[in-house]
Structure formats: structure tokens, C-alpha cells
Amino acid sequence: MSLDAASGLLSGPTLDLIKAAILGMVEGLTEFLPVSSTGHLLLMEKVIGWGDDAFGKSFVILIQLGAILALLTIYFGRLWSLATNMFTRWEATRFVIGVLLAFLPAAVIGALFGSYIKAYLFDVRIVCITLIVGGFVLLIVDRVKLKPRYYEATEFSLPMYFGIGVCQCLAMIPGVSRSGSTIVAAMLFGADRRAAAEFSFWLAMPTMVGAFAYEAYKSRADLTTDHVTAIAVGFVLAFIFGVIAVKGLLSYVKRHTFALFAWWRILLGTFGIFALYFW
């Protein structure tokens, strides 16, 4: 059975809420882990699908706001501190500049090539391949004897912030993972695992807000009130599971490597290729 045929088994308006719940959980759990939320959502949509393709695209855009708010809620205190000190304390000003430097490359590349990327790279086969390749990259980085020089995300050098931002652009290829590319780059530049993971959260704030606003504006014609309940379910679950993922990852990387996420990527990508060509 092909994935297209499997999607038909789960079609129908009566299952919209179930689909919304599944996709909301997937978005919340994977957005901040180095496993590619876009890749997971594309694979899940291939399996369960929506009867209305335009709504499916709008739905994925809208529930990202739930994951964004999860992150902003967790970091609200520190964000408020930055906002109130950025004009009076150099440490706060420097970090804000660093985050903006890291955000700049993705903003430029996204604005220039976003349509091209979506037209030619948003393919399930590409997702499966990049999931596998990214998994092996995580395994290699975990096994290399890196010597961390930075243990706080706020203490990276300004060139390092920009370099991480350049590497984040690779995540525009679905399946690469925004957080994964950010974490790997930060570790290669000298951050320890926890500082690398935390900076991926900081960088996610402007990156995700910018991407959400851009995509929502472009897709505004497809946004309707016909599926308010499904959107609300997906939004709430993306928020809840986003909180769980952020807190869980920071706790996990204190004692573990990224090998678990690497093997998950490899297994999922391999299964996806098998399903595409042999199922």
C-alpha cells in the first residue's frame, strides 16, 4: 500500500479533530528537538492528509504559533530582563545583537529563496534523505572529542553568533532541522551541549516569529473560520507539548548526548524511504 493510499484511509471530516491533535502534538514535540518538525509534519500529512489541501497548509502555519508561545512563556522572565536592560547593560545589549546577527542570514535567504525552496525541496524523499544524513551528522559530532569553551548561550562571541546563523540556513531544506543545525554549529564553534541547545531556543524566537508572520501573510487568502475547532485543538496541543519538549531537552542534555535523536532520525528516514518505494 502506498502512502497516498494510506492517506485515504484516514480521510473524512469526522477525523479532523484527531488529525489536528496528532499534528499539534508532533509540532510541539519536534519543533525544538534536533529532529526536524517540518520533516515530521510533511511525513505525517502524507500519511493522514486533509480533505482540504489549502486548509492543511494554513493549519500547519497557525499551530506553529502554539509552539512559539510555549517558548515565549518559558523564557518570559529572561526576555523581560533583556528588554529592560538592553539599553543600560552592555551584556544584555551584546546578547540581543548576537541573536539578531544569528537571525539575519535566515531572514535574507528566506526572503530571497523561500518560494524556490518550497517549490523544489518540499518533497518527502528529500525529507527522508536529510533525516538520515542529519542523524549521522549528530552521531559524528557526539563522538568527536570537542572541548567546550562556552557554557552559557549569552557568552558566545559575536562572530560565533553570526556563524551559527549561517549554518541555520541549512534548515530551510526540510528534514535538516533548525534546532539541529543550530545545535551542531554551536557545538563545533565551542559551546557545550546545554548552551548549544539553549541558544537554539533563543534563536528560534525571532526565526519562528518571522517565519510565522511571513507565511501567515502569504497564505492569508486560505485562512478561514471554517475549521476553528481543529485549529484550536492543534494550537493548544502544540503549546502543551512545546513546553514539555523545551524543558525536557534542557534537562536531558545535562546527562546525555544527542544519540537518541540521531537514531530516531535515521530510523524514521529509513522507514519513510521503505514506505515510499516498497509499501
Side-chain angles (χ1 to χ4, degrees), residues 231-243:
I231 292 171
V233 169
F235 176 92
V236 170
L237 286 172
F239 176 86
I240 293 171
F241 283 89
V243 170

mmCIF file with all atom_site columns, all heavy atoms in Angstrom, residues 231-243:
data_model
loop_
_atom_site.group_PDB
_atom_site.id
_atom_site.type_symbol
_atom_site.label_atom_id
_atom_site.label_alt_id
_atom_site.label_comp_id
_atom_site.label_asym_id
_atom_site.label_entity_id
_atom_site.label_seq_id
_atom_site.pdbx_PDB_ins_code
_atom_site.Cartn_x
_atom_site.Cartn_y
_atom_site.Cartn_z
_atom_site.occupancy
_atom_site.B_iso_or_equiv
_atom_site.pdbx_formal_charge
_atom_site.auth_seq_id
_atom_site.auth_comp_id
_atom_site.auth_asym_id
_atom_site.auth_atom_id
_atom_site.pdbx_PDB_model_num
ATOM 1  N N   . ILE A 1 231 ? -8.269 24.017 14.486 1.00 0.00 ? 231 ILE A N   1
ATOM 2  C CA  . ILE A 1 231 ? -7.124 24.909 14.698 1.00 0.00 ? 231 ILE A CA  1
ATOM 3  C C   . ILE A 1 231 ? -6.863 25.081 16.198 1.00 0.00 ? 231 ILE A C   1
ATOM 4  O O   . ILE A 1 231 ? -5.713 25.051 16.650 1.00 0.00 ? 231 ILE A O   1
ATOM 5  C CB  . ILE A 1 231 ? -7.378 26.278 14.033 1.00 0.00 ? 231 ILE A CB  1
ATOM 6  C CG1 . ILE A 1 231 ? -7.394 26.122 12.517 1.00 0.00 ? 231 ILE A CG1 1
ATOM 7  C CG2 . ILE A 1 231 ? -6.332 27.288 14.457 1.00 0.00 ? 231 ILE A CG2 1
ATOM 8  C CD1 . ILE A 1 231 ? -7.847 27.366 11.776 1.00 0.00 ? 231 ILE A CD1 1
ATOM 9  N N   . ALA A 1 232 ? -7.935 25.267 16.975 1.00 0.00 ? 232 ALA A N   1
ATOM 10 C CA  . ALA A 1 232 ? -7.785 25.444 18.417 1.00 0.00 ? 232 ALA A CA  1
ATOM 11 C C   . ALA A 1 232 ? -7.167 24.215 19.066 1.00 0.00 ? 232 ALA A C   1
ATOM 12 O O   . ALA A 1 232 ? -6.270 24.322 19.926 1.00 0.00 ? 232 ALA A O   1
ATOM 13 C CB  . ALA A 1 232 ? -9.144 25.743 19.052 1.00 0.00 ? 232 ALA A CB  1
ATOM 14 N N   . VAL A 1 233 ? -7.601 23.015 18.666 1.00 0.00 ? 233 VAL A N   1
ATOM 15 C CA  . VAL A 1 233 ? -7.044 21.775 19.213 1.00 0.00 ? 233 VAL A CA  1
ATOM 16 C C   . VAL A 1 233 ? -5.559 21.662 18.882 1.00 0.00 ? 233 VAL A C   1
ATOM 17 O O   . VAL A 1 233 ? -4.730 21.373 19.746 1.00 0.00 ? 233 VAL A O   1
ATOM 18 C CB  . VAL A 1 233 ? -7.818 20.557 18.657 1.00 0.00 ? 233 VAL A CB  1
ATOM 19 C CG1 . VAL A 1 233 ? -7.081 19.253 19.006 1.00 0.00 ? 233 VAL A CG1 1
ATOM 20 C CG2 . VAL A 1 233 ? -9.232 20.523 19.228 1.00 0.00 ? 233 VAL A CG2 1
ATOM 21 N N   . GLY A 1 234 ? -5.204 21.893 17.624 1.00 0.00 ? 234 GLY A N   1
ATOM 22 C CA  . GLY A 1 234 ? -3.798 21.815 17.225 1.00 0.00 ? 234 GLY A CA  1
ATOM 23 C C   . GLY A 1 234 ? -2.950 22.844 17.932 1.00 0.00 ? 234 GLY A C   1
ATOM 24 O O   . GLY A 1 234 ? -1.831 22.551 18.375 1.00 0.00 ? 234 GLY A O   1
ATOM 25 N N   . PHE A 1 235 ? -3.474 24.063 18.074 1.00 0.00 ? 235 PHE A N   1
ATOM 26 C CA  . PHE A 1 235 ? -2.760 25.153 18.739 1.00 0.00 ? 235 PHE A CA  1
ATOM 27 C C   . PHE A 1 235 ? -2.464 24.798 20.196 1.00 0.00 ? 235 PHE A C   1
ATOM 28 O O   . PHE A 1 235 ? -1.334 24.931 20.665 1.00 0.00 ? 235 PHE A O   1
ATOM 29 C CB  . PHE A 1 235 ? -3.596 26.424 18.652 1.00 0.00 ? 235 PHE A CB  1
ATOM 30 C CG  . PHE A 1 235 ? -3.013 27.603 19.372 1.00 0.00 ? 235 PHE A CG  1
ATOM 31 C CD1 . PHE A 1 235 ? -2.192 28.492 18.713 1.00 0.00 ? 235 PHE A CD1 1
ATOM 32 C CD2 . PHE A 1 235 ? -3.287 27.831 20.719 1.00 0.00 ? 235 PHE A CD2 1
ATOM 33 C CE1 . PHE A 1 235 ? -1.659 29.587 19.379 1.00 0.00 ? 235 PHE A CE1 1
ATOM 34 C CE2 . PHE A 1 235 ? -2.752 28.910 21.392 1.00 0.00 ? 235 PHE A CE2 1
ATOM 35 C CZ  . PHE A 1 235 ? -1.935 29.796 20.710 1.00 0.00 ? 235 PHE A CZ  1
ATOM 36 N N   . VAL A 1 236 ? -3.494 24.350 20.918 1.00 0.00 ? 236 VAL A N   1
ATOM 37 C CA  . VAL A 1 236 ? -3.335 24.034 22.339 1.00 0.00 ? 236 VAL A CA  1
ATOM 38 C C   . VAL A 1 236 ? -2.346 22.895 22.546 1.00 0.00 ? 236 VAL A C   1
ATOM 39 O O   . VAL A 1 236 ? -1.467 22.951 23.415 1.00 0.00 ? 236 VAL A O   1
ATOM 40 C CB  . VAL A 1 236 ? -4.701 23.685 22.972 1.00 0.00 ? 236 VAL A CB  1
ATOM 41 C CG1 . VAL A 1 236 ? -4.522 23.125 24.375 1.00 0.00 ? 236 VAL A CG1 1
ATOM 42 C CG2 . VAL A 1 236 ? -5.597 24.920 23.004 1.00 0.00 ? 236 VAL A CG2 1
ATOM 43 N N   . LEU A 1 237 ? -2.437 21.854 21.731 1.00 0.00 ? 237 LEU A N   1
ATOM 44 C CA  . LEU A 1 237 ? -1.534 20.713 21.894 1.00 0.00 ? 237 LEU A CA  1
ATOM 45 C C   . LEU A 1 237 ? -0.109 21.084 21.496 1.00 0.00 ? 237 LEU A C   1
ATOM 46 O O   . LEU A 1 237 ? 0.852  20.603 22.105 1.00 0.00 ? 237 LEU A O   1
ATOM 47 C CB  . LEU A 1 237 ? -2.038 19.525 21.085 1.00 0.00 ? 237 LEU A CB  1
ATOM 48 C CG  . LEU A 1 237 ? -3.254 18.835 21.698 1.00 0.00 ? 237 LEU A CG  1
ATOM 49 C CD1 . LEU A 1 237 ? -3.834 17.798 20.759 1.00 0.00 ? 237 LEU A CD1 1
ATOM 50 C CD2 . LEU A 1 237 ? -2.895 18.182 23.029 1.00 0.00 ? 237 LEU A CD2 1
ATOM 51 N N   . ALA A 1 238 ? 0.053  21.940 20.488 1.00 0.00 ? 238 ALA A N   1
ATOM 52 C CA  . ALA A 1 238 ? 1.395  22.403 20.124 1.00 0.00 ? 238 ALA A CA  1
ATOM 53 C C   . ALA A 1 238 ? 2.005  23.186 21.282 1.00 0.00 ? 238 ALA A C   1
ATOM 54 O O   . ALA A 1 238 ? 3.205  23.063 21.565 1.00 0.00 ? 238 ALA A O   1
ATOM 55 C CB  . ALA A 1 238 ? 1.330  23.264 18.863 1.00 0.00 ? 238 ALA A CB  1
ATOM 56 N N   . PHE A 1 239 ? 1.181  23.987 21.960 1.00 0.00 ? 239 PHE A N   1
ATOM 57 C CA  . PHE A 1 239 ? 1.658  24.750 23.109 1.00 0.00 ? 239 PHE A CA  1
ATOM 58 C C   . PHE A 1 239 ? 2.073  23.821 24.252 1.00 0.00 ? 239 PHE A C   1
ATOM 59 O O   . PHE A 1 239 ? 3.182  23.922 24.787 1.00 0.00 ? 239 PHE A O   1
ATOM 60 C CB  . PHE A 1 239 ? 0.570  25.706 23.592 1.00 0.00 ? 239 PHE A CB  1
ATOM 61 C CG  . PHE A 1 239 ? 0.935  26.474 24.832 1.00 0.00 ? 239 PHE A CG  1
ATOM 62 C CD1 . PHE A 1 239 ? 1.636  27.651 24.751 1.00 0.00 ? 239 PHE A CD1 1
ATOM 63 C CD2 . PHE A 1 239 ? 0.582  25.991 26.100 1.00 0.00 ? 239 PHE A CD2 1
ATOM 64 C CE1 . PHE A 1 239 ? 1.989  28.355 25.896 1.00 0.00 ? 239 PHE A CE1 1
ATOM 65 C CE2 . PHE A 1 239 ? 0.922  26.686 27.246 1.00 0.00 ? 239 PHE A CE2 1
ATOM 66 C CZ  . PHE A 1 239 ? 1.627  27.868 27.144 1.00 0.00 ? 239 PHE A CZ  1
ATOM 67 N N   . ILE A 1 240 ? 1.204  22.894 24.616 1.00 0.00 ? 240 ILE A N   1
ATOM 68 C CA  . ILE A 1 240 ? 1.463  21.990 25.749 1.00 0.00 ? 240 ILE A CA  1
ATOM 69 C C   . ILE A 1 240 ? 2.711  21.142 25.500 1.00 0.00 ? 240 ILE A C   1
ATOM 70 O O   . ILE A 1 240 ? 3.617  21.056 26.353 1.00 0.00 ? 240 ILE A O   1
ATOM 71 C CB  . ILE A 1 240 ? 0.250  21.083 26.016 1.00 0.00 ? 240 ILE A CB  1
ATOM 72 C CG1 . ILE A 1 240 ? -0.937 21.916 26.504 1.00 0.00 ? 240 ILE A CG1 1
ATOM 73 C CG2 . ILE A 1 240 ? 0.593  19.996 27.039 1.00 0.00 ? 240 ILE A CG2 1
ATOM 74 C CD1 . ILE A 1 240 ? -2.242 21.147 26.595 1.00 0.00 ? 240 ILE A CD1 1
ATOM 75 N N   . PHE A 1 241 ? 2.769  20.522 24.336 1.00 0.00 ? 241 PHE A N   1
ATOM 76 C CA  . PHE A 1 241 ? 3.896  19.644 24.057 1.00 0.00 ? 241 PHE A CA  1
ATOM 77 C C   . PHE A 1 241 ? 5.167  20.424 23.731 1.00 0.00 ? 241 PHE A C   1
ATOM 78 O O   . PHE A 1 241 ? 6.272  19.899 23.879 1.00 0.00 ? 241 PHE A O   1
ATOM 79 C CB  . PHE A 1 241 ? 3.531  18.660 22.937 1.00 0.00 ? 241 PHE A CB  1
ATOM 80 C CG  . PHE A 1 241 ? 2.661  17.540 23.412 1.00 0.00 ? 241 PHE A CG  1
ATOM 81 C CD1 . PHE A 1 241 ? 1.279  17.660 23.397 1.00 0.00 ? 241 PHE A CD1 1
ATOM 82 C CD2 . PHE A 1 241 ? 3.217  16.372 23.925 1.00 0.00 ? 241 PHE A CD2 1
ATOM 83 C CE1 . PHE A 1 241 ? 0.465  16.628 23.860 1.00 0.00 ? 241 PHE A CE1 1
ATOM 84 C CE2 . PHE A 1 241 ? 2.412  15.343 24.385 1.00 0.00 ? 241 PHE A CE2 1
ATOM 85 C CZ  . PHE A 1 241 ? 1.031  15.473 24.356 1.00 0.00 ? 241 PHE A CZ  1
ATOM 86 N N   . GLY A 1 242 ? 5.017  21.683 23.319 1.00 0.00 ? 242 GLY A N   1
ATOM 87 C CA  . GLY A 1 242 ? 6.184  22.542 23.154 1.00 0.00 ? 242 GLY A CA  1
ATOM 88 C C   . GLY A 1 242 ? 6.840  22.831 24.491 1.00 0.00 ? 242 GLY A C   1
ATOM 89 O O   . GLY A 1 242 ? 8.072  22.800 24.616 1.00 0.00 ? 242 GLY A O   1
ATOM 90 N N   . VAL A 1 243 ? 6.035  23.103 25.509 1.00 0.00 ? 243 VAL A N   1
ATOM 91 C CA  . VAL A 1 243 ? 6.564  23.322 26.866 1.00 0.00 ? 243 VAL A CA  1
ATOM 92 C C   . VAL A 1 243 ? 7.291  22.078 27.353 1.00 0.00 ? 243 VAL A C   1
ATOM 93 O O   . VAL A 1 243 ? 8.408  22.152 27.899 1.00 0.00 ? 243 VAL A O   1
ATOM 94 C CB  . VAL A 1 243 ? 5.422  23.686 27.840 1.00 0.00 ? 243 VAL A CB  1
ATOM 95 C CG1 . VAL A 1 243 ? 5.925  23.680 29.282 1.00 0.00 ? 243 VAL A CG1 1
ATOM 96 C CG2 . VAL A 1 243 ? 4.835  25.043 27.492 1.00 0.00 ? 243 VAL A CG2 1
#
